[in-house]
Amino acid sequence: MTTTVCGRCKSSGAVTDHQGRQDGAVVWTILRCPTCNFSWRDSEPARAIDPAARSVDFAVDADDLQRYPKILQQ
Amino acid sequence: MNDLPNRARSISSLRDFLELLEDSGQAITWSDPVMPEPGVRNIAVAASRDANGAPAIVFDNITGYPGKRLAVGVHGSWDNIALLLGRPKGTTIRELFFEIAGRWGDQEAQISFVPEAQAPVHECRLEQDINLYDVLPVYRINEYDGGFYIGKASVASRDPLDPDNFGKQNVGIYRLQIQGPDSFTLMTIPSHDMGRQIMAAEREGVPLKIAVMLGNHPGLAVFAATPIGYEESEYSYASAMMGAPIRLTKSGNGIDILADSEIVIEAELQLGERELEGPFGEFPGSYSGVRKAPIFKVTAVSHRRDPIFENIYIGRGWTEHDTLIGLHTSAPIYAQLRQSFPEVTAVNALYQHGLTGIISVKNRMAGFAKTVALRALSTPHGVMYLKNLIMVDADVDPFDLNQVMWALSTRTRADDIIVLPNMPAVPIDPSAVIPGKGHRLIIDATSYLPPDPVGEAHLVTPPTGDEIDALSKRIREMQLGALS
């Protein structure tokens, strides 16, 4: 668990899923938000992963996850 | 290369096909260092601008993924599709369409089974501590995708209620979003075979195991996306259409899979569970919404040594998705229509998986083309996808948009259209009234025939046919030759 803030729903508590290495050194880390399931690589351009730079059109409201429809209901 | 048909029939794996593409100048290796984002996307998009001649691109130096290989654009141009079908580069789309249409129902399937111990796909096997990110050099396909997607997976499954039935095995292409090291969500809709199987498994409380095949025989990637009947085997269909044998083996969880695929991920549905999925930049060129989708837990991974992860760029067209499925969306509609109406002469459903289709027909009588259009809407693909239909006469080539525009300009009355309101629609069509429901449009751009009182105009008849086609090609070759 990290204090890293999710670029999409602004929740904290992202988990680290993987680290990419090049010649033994970590070159990027893949993180995942347990609240909204957004996954990202910390080397991506800011407009995709930084909550301050990211388009609000693609934000997820962490306080209203019920709004997202469930597919394949009986 | 005059042995192209034989060479195409001898392809049994992605590797074979990449070799053929490379020999033909249709595959390149990108060995300069490239960041996963946005580097891979940028290169894939730049390549897909050339719908006729784009090469496949194999990346072997992606930063953070040393030693791993990624292929994109394998089906990304008509020239690549032509080589897959044993035809030379430069074959026209219309010729490719009739190549496929001519194979329909023509050949017997040749399926052979390889023992698991001898199947290349099982050369390396992971059953514990699985992390998909260790195996796959993934990258964000479009910048606002909700995560890292596997966009070109052929997913094999058995019918959970009839697991011993070979024909009821399903193979389909579904988008998968990686959800942590050993889980992924799968997006489907109730009308797709996988959607039916998930709902059946959850209704009856029975397990649903799947095998996700990556880096496959290039024929399967094409035909797994083709709408065929539920009880038809995609493997048999692909083999028959390729006129070539297909080698199967068993996955560790008991599903028939391709023996020569690069990677197979075995997984099990978590019954009744849903996780947030999306958005994903989809084939209409817009992002899907965020939804709660079924989630699968990975139980094992098999792969060849030094596997090639094959993925796709999909988004606002033209993209590999359009060349991958365009002709094989068109050909079944053509074959199904001709069962009722042999007057149908060609079907172009290349655009956005057939959201717009152009059908040429020998008009029997005034209004006949509209009858054919209504039949098209009831074909398996038409039920959900054929939103706009343009009906043209048989003297118009539906693959030549200049001719189609001529027909629209000279043979269409503004009131000679049909709008069918509130019909089924693919949920990701951004123009739908609400997701999953929208209007259909039929434009009758055929000429006037009795009993219509307006007769056909006296047409100019420029020369057409094989001789003119050959001259066009010669002019093009002379033009290319002048550059070299």
Side-chain angles (χ1 to χ4, degrees), chain B residues 60-143:
Chain B
D60 64 1
N61 192 9
I62 305 172
T63 302
Y65 293 123
K68 289 196 163 43
R69 291 186 289 173
L70 160 72
V72 300
V74 173
H75 300 82
S77 61
W78 297 120
D79 280 347
N80 287 15
I81 300 289
L83 291 165
L84 175 61
L85 296 172
R87 299 291 294 265
K89 290 164 65 172
T91 304
T92 65
I93 303 172
R94 182 181 174 83
E95 288 170 323
L96 293 174
F97 169 79
F98 282 110
E99 173 73 39
I100 288 167
R103 295 182 186 196
W104 188 273
D106 208 29
Q107 309 253 7
E108 292 291 310
Q110 307 164 62
I111 303 286
S112 62
F113 284 87
V114 180
E116 286 162 65
Q118 291 166 27
V121 68
H122 287 310
E123 282 171 352
C124 305
R125 182 135 178 106
L126 305 165
E127 294 183 339
Q128 291 180 332
D129 301 323
I130 295 164
N131 187 339
L132 294 176
Y133 292 116
D134 275 335
V135 182
L136 308 174
V138 293
Y139 53 97
R140 195 182 305 281
I141 295 178
N142 276 298
E143 64 179 336

Side-chain angles (χ1 to χ4, degrees), chain B residues 61-328:
Chain B
N61 192 9
I62 305 172
T63 302
Y65 293 123
K68 289 196 163 43
R69 291 186 289 173
L70 160 72
V72 300
V74 173
H75 300 82
S77 61
W78 297 120
D79 280 347
N80 287 15
I81 300 289
L83 291 165
L84 175 61
L85 296 172
R87 299 291 294 265
K89 290 164 65 172
T91 304
T92 65
I93 303 172
R94 182 181 174 83
E95 288 170 323
L96 293 174
F97 169 79
F98 282 110
E99 173 73 39
I100 288 167
R103 295 182 186 196
W104 188 273
D106 208 29
Q107 309 253 7
E108 292 291 310
Q110 307 164 62
I111 303 286
S112 62
F113 284 87
V114 180
E116 286 162 65
Q118 291 166 27
V121 68
H122 287 310
E123 282 171 352
C124 305
R125 182 135 178 106
L126 305 165
E127 294 183 339
Q128 291 180 332
D129 301 323
I130 295 164
N131 187 339
L132 294 176
Y133 292 116
D134 275 335
V135 182
L136 308 174
V138 293
Y139 53 97
R140 195 182 305 281
I141 295 178
N142 276 298
E143 64 179 336
Y144 292 116
D145 290 349
F148 300 103
Y149 273 86
I150 301 170
K152 204 177 182 181
S154 289
V155 181
S157 58
R158 289 179 177 275
D159 186 322
L161 305 183
D162 191 5
D164 296 327
N165 188 324
F166 180 81
K168 284 190 186 174
Q169 287 190 110
N170 174 49
V171 182
I173 295 185
Y174 301 94
R175 72 179 202 228
L176 311 178
Q177 182 183 346
I178 299 177
Q179 303 268 6
D182 62 352
S183 298
F184 58 83
T185 41
L186 181 151
M187 178 52 70
T188 181
I189 54 179
S191 64
H192 285 160
D193 292 345
M194 180 58 70
R196 289 170 61 166
Q197 294 187 348
I198 289 171
M199 292 181 77
E202 294 186 335
R203 191 169 57 243
E204 303 297 328
V206 295
L208 177 62
K209 296 175 180 178
I210 64 172
V212 177
M213 298 177 285
L214 305 173
N216 303 318
H217 185 300
L220 187 80
V222 168
F223 296 110
T226 302
I228 58 176
Y230 182 71
E231 296 194 17
E232 291 178 80
S233 159
E234 283 85 357
Y235 293 128
S236 301
Y237 177 75
S239 169
M241 289 296 278
M242 294 292 294
I246 276 189
R247 288 167 21 117
L248 299 181
T249 190
K250 283 273 188 291
S251 62
N253 57 357
I255 297 162
D256 291 327
I257 57 170
L258 292 173
D260 300 286
S261 288
E262 294 291 324
I263 300 164
V264 63
I265 301 167
E266 299 168 13
E268 184 166 348
L269 174 67
Q270 305 299 290
L271 292 174
E273 292 185 25
R274 298 288 185 273
E275 289 286 346
L276 285 179
E277 192 269 359
F280 181 66
E282 268 287 0
F283 69 83
S286 46
Y287 286 94
S288 68
V290 177
R291 299 189 183 87
K292 292 173 184 145
I295 186 153
F296 288 79
K297 177 98 170 165
V298 179
T299 51
V301 174
S302 285
H303 62 80
R304 297 177 70 144
R305 286 184 202 97
D306 301 320
I308 304 167
F309 172 48
E310 188 191 0
N311 212 351
I312 191 169
Y313 177 72
I314 178 171
R316 184 163 164 181
W318 194 270
T319 76
E320 182 184 354
H321 184 266
D322 299 303
T323 28
L324 172 65
I325 65 168
L327 288 171
H328 303 86

Side-chain angles (χ1 to χ4, degrees), chain A residues 39-58:
Chain A
S39 295
W40 71 97
R41 193 183 327 260
D42 63 4
S43 58
E44 290 187 65
R47 54 182 280 160
I49 62 170
D50 179 351
R54 202 177 137 90
S55 165
V56 294
D57 289 346
F58 295 94

Side-chain angles (χ1 to χ4, degrees), chain B residues 2-15:
Chain B
N2 52 15
D3 63 341
L4 282 173
N6 284 331
R7 193 139 179 221
R9 277 192 291 271
S10 72
I11 294 167
S12 68
S13 66
L14 173 64
R15 292 178 190 211

